[in-house]
Amino acid sequence: MLKDFKPVLGILLRFIIIYLVLLFAYQFYLNANKDSGLDPFSRIIANQVNAIQNVLGYPSQLYNDVRNEQVWFYVKKQYVTRMVEGCNAISIMILFVSFVFAFYKGSKTFVFILAGLVLLYIMNLLRIVGLNIVMAEHKEYGKMFHDFVFPAIIYGSVVLLWLIWIKFFALKHENS
């Protein structure tokens, strides 16, 4: 009976191991940068969001709050949001990578993960830009967009990428 579940258990075990290794590596990275305020990756994202907003005609400035490990976004000379470590989408990317590696299919796995990470990175930038614009223009919708709309978009993107990976790559040989 265990023989029937062996492939599923293998996939599950790979997912858990990869997820935990990446999670611990990320936590180690965060701990190493704890005294410098917001972690460097999140600061890069904040700077890129700031640049995109300025290009889009939303004059923006950043205020680094090192003590509280956050960056404040000022759009059109008003405070709109703050960015903390959780806004960088690394936890979502770790989940994405772990799932795809659980269904490992050789070198195309690495190519798909790289393309997926680039897409998720861009989606996250646009998510933060969108939230800042919503908060600058229509603050009354800010909570709804922060709590529901933008998480649905970023998590929906991950699920869509997973479905593409499973349908067109991971199970391709089984369906042929």
Side-chain angles (χ1 to χ4, degrees):
M1 182 170 151
L2 186 61
K3 192 177 359 173
D4 295 335
F5 294 108
K6 190 175 180 183
V8 173
L9 292 175
I11 289 168
L12 188 60
L13 187 61
R14 268 194 309 261
F15 173 82
I16 291 169
I17 290 170
I18 293 166
Y19 181 77
L20 289 175
V21 166
L22 292 175
L23 192 64
F24 285 128
Y26 182 54
Q27 191 58 53
F28 180 77
Y29 161 80
L30 289 175
N31 291 342
N33 292 290
K34 193 164 186 70
D35 296 330
S36 62
L38 190 62
D39 66 280
F41 185 74
S42 296
R43 274 185 284 169
I44 290 169
I45 291 173
N47 287 326
Q48 290 172 340
V49 166
N50 189 55
I52 292 168
Q53 289 170 180
N54 283 315
V55 166
L56 293 176
Y58 288 89
S60 303
Q61 293 179 316
L62 298 176
Y63 170 72
N64 290 315
D65 184 357
V66 175
R67 193 179 69 129
N68 294 315
E69 299 179 8
Q70 59 192 359
V71 170
W72 299 83
F73 285 101
Y74 287 86
V75 179
K76 296 183 174 181
K77 297 184 181 182
Q78 65 176 343
Y79 157 73
V80 291
T81 62
R82 66 186 176 95
M83 182 169 170
V84 296
E85 170 272 322
C87 300
N88 65 19
I90 293 289
S91 58
I92 294 168
M93 293 177 190
I94 288 172
L95 198 60
F96 166 74
V97 168
S98 302
F99 180 85
V100 174
F101 266 128
F103 292 89
Y104 182 78
K105 293 295 178 181
S107 61
K108 62 184 168 184
T109 308
F110 293 97
V111 173
F112 188 83
I113 285 175
L114 182 61
L117 288 175
V118 168
L119 179 70
L120 291 174
Y121 186 88
I122 292 168
M123 292 294 292
N124 191 51
L125 285 177
L126 296 176
R127 176 185 73 88
I128 298 168
V129 168
L131 181 60
N132 285 340
I133 291 172
V134 166
M135 291 299 287
E137 298 291 336
H138 302 284
K139 195 172 186 110
E140 65 274 15
Y141 299 115
K143 182 164 178 46
M144 179 183 67
F145 273 80
H146 179 271
D147 294 351
F148 303 109
V149 175
F150 289 123
I153 291 170
I154 195 85
Y155 282 107
S157 298
V158 170
V159 170
L160 183 62
L161 286 168
W162 285 345
L163 292 173
I164 291 168
W165 174 248
I166 293 297
K167 173 101 173 124
F168 297 106
F169 298 99
L171 298 180
K172 187 162 179 109
H173 296 286
E174 285 126 31
N175 291 339
S176 299

